[in-house]
Amino acid sequence: MRVEFRFCPACGSRLEPREVEGRALPTCPSCEFVAWPDPKVAVAVVAHDRRGRLLLIRRGTPPAKGEWALPGGYVDATESPSVAARRECLEETRLDLRVEGLTGVHHVLVEGGGLLVLAYAGELLGDRPEPTAEAPEFGFFDPGSIPELGFSAHREAVAAWRAGRA
Ligand SMILES: [Zn+2]
């Protein structure tokens, strides 16, 4: 969910719509603040085991609750995205990850804004994921038999990963 600023986060003045570079944006009449509609940044982890099987989680929380997905989540402003990929994998599956590299950048339009999903491939260090609230169920899948995923960016990321291995 996107937060709409009504007051300036820098000085507290009420924001007013003003035309900036051809479009109306909430701007501060007292300082230089402009509420640019920046995308949020997330990571998705194309995590495989030593046998080359892909680890998927069944999501325990919305959005796409109950559907298959890659481990992943939002990037903190103070961490590198590859660190975020490793952290999210660990948080959701309790498995550490050796990040191999970026497989793609996927842009998604979501309600009220945009999302950039940075997809990383990596090898799992361990083969026994533990269920968490975010990921109560897991599956290891051969690249040729991957089930339908709940997010378009994840479908694109898996397709890019499979193309890279072919
Ligand atoms: Zn201000």
Side-chain angles (χ1 to χ4, degrees), residues 1 5 7-8 12 21 42 46 55 77 88 96 98 101 107 110 118 124 127 130 132-133 135-136 160 163 166:
M1 180 178 27
F5 283 121
F7 295 94
C8 177
E21 295 183 8
V46 186
L55 174 64
E88 287 287 350
D96 202 357
R98 184 177 61 78
H107 180 230
V110 293
L118 312 182
L124 293 163
D127 52 12
E130 292 175 24
T132 61

Side-chain angles (χ1 to χ4, degrees), residues 8 10-11 28 31 33:
C8 177
C11 77
C28 179
C31 74
F33 178 79

Side-chain angles (χ1 to χ4, degrees), residues 46-49 82 97-103 120-124 161 165:
V46 186
H48 62 87
D49 65 8
S82 65
L97 184 80
R98 184 177 61 78
V99 174
E100 294 168 331
L102 195 64
T103 63
Y120 285 90
E123 183 173 346
L124 293 163
W161 174 72
R165 289 167 74 87

Side-chain angles (χ1 to χ4, degrees), residues 3 9 16 47 59 75 103 106:
V3 174
E16 298 170 354
R59 288 181 56 82
V75 178
T103 63
H106 309 278

